[in-house]
Each structure stands twice: as C-alpha cells, then as structure tokens.
Amino acid sequence: HVQLVESGGGSVQAGGSLRLSCVASEYGASTHCMSWFRQAPGKEREGVAHIYTGGGRTFYARSVEGRFTISQDTAKKMLSLQMNRLQPEDTAKYYCAAGCAPIGHSWSDARYTEVWGQGTQVTVS
C-alpha cells in the first residue's frame, strides 16, 4: 500500500520561501495524480496545487498561483512544492495527497484522495 511522507515545513517570515517534499513508498495508480492540500485551524482542507504525471499538467489554487510551483521527480518517487513570497495567510498544515478525481470532477475535491501524508506545518509570520 502506498505511503506518503512529507517534510520541509517550518517557520518563515513573510516574503520568505520554503520547499516541501513528499516521498512515496511506491508508485501505483493513485500516484498518477498528486496534490498538495492545506488546512488551517477552523478552516476546511483546500487544494493548493496538483500535478498529473502522465500528461505533465499542473494546476494551482488562485491564491498561490505565481508563487508556488509543484513538481515531481519520478525516479525518486518525490513530489515537491516550492513556495515563494510566503504570506501569513499561507500558514497551515500542508498535506501531500495521491488520487485521481473521476472525469468531470475537480482535483481540489479532497473526497477523491486515496492516500494522505501525515502533514507538515508551515507557519508564516
């Protein structure tokens, strides 16, 4: 069974950068579609970025587009999220997620995630 482990979270001042990593124990059908979600206290989990390995397509939430970049190293089974120009509103626990949404449904819908990482905290002040 696929397991995901995130790392790279921490505390940073506004305007700073962090790079999150997510390593998969193995690749399977679920890892063809991988995403980063985040959740702040009292708020719903929201999709941040998505990448489809087969087609090389990437998608971003409006709030992070232009600042965050999602990428994948298939040889290392590693998903990354480069976060630049971080803002206090980016403060949240970030989760790596694997799973493809059915045709006609959005990648940002957490209901279609098959495997979740344990999460890594990002705090921006």
Side-chain angles (χ1 to χ4, degrees), residues 10-18 67 83-91 122-125:
S11 298
V12 64
Q13 293 185 333
S17 299
L18 284 174
R67 298 189 296 118
M83 305 183 293
N84 298 325
R85 303 193 302 280
L86 285 161
Q87 304 168 7
E89 62 189 18
D90 294 317
T91 295
V122 172
T123 301
V124 185
S125 60

Side-chain angles (χ1 to χ4, degrees), residues 26-55:
E26 61 184 53
Y27 271 4
S30 63
T31 54
H32 292 170
C33 310
M34 300 195 71
S35 305
W36 286 98
F37 285 78
R38 67 185 181 187
Q39 186 167 27
K43 298 182 179 179
E44 295 184 350
R45 188 168 298 188
E46 63 173 342
V48 176
H50 176 80
I51 186 168
Y52 176 63
T53 302

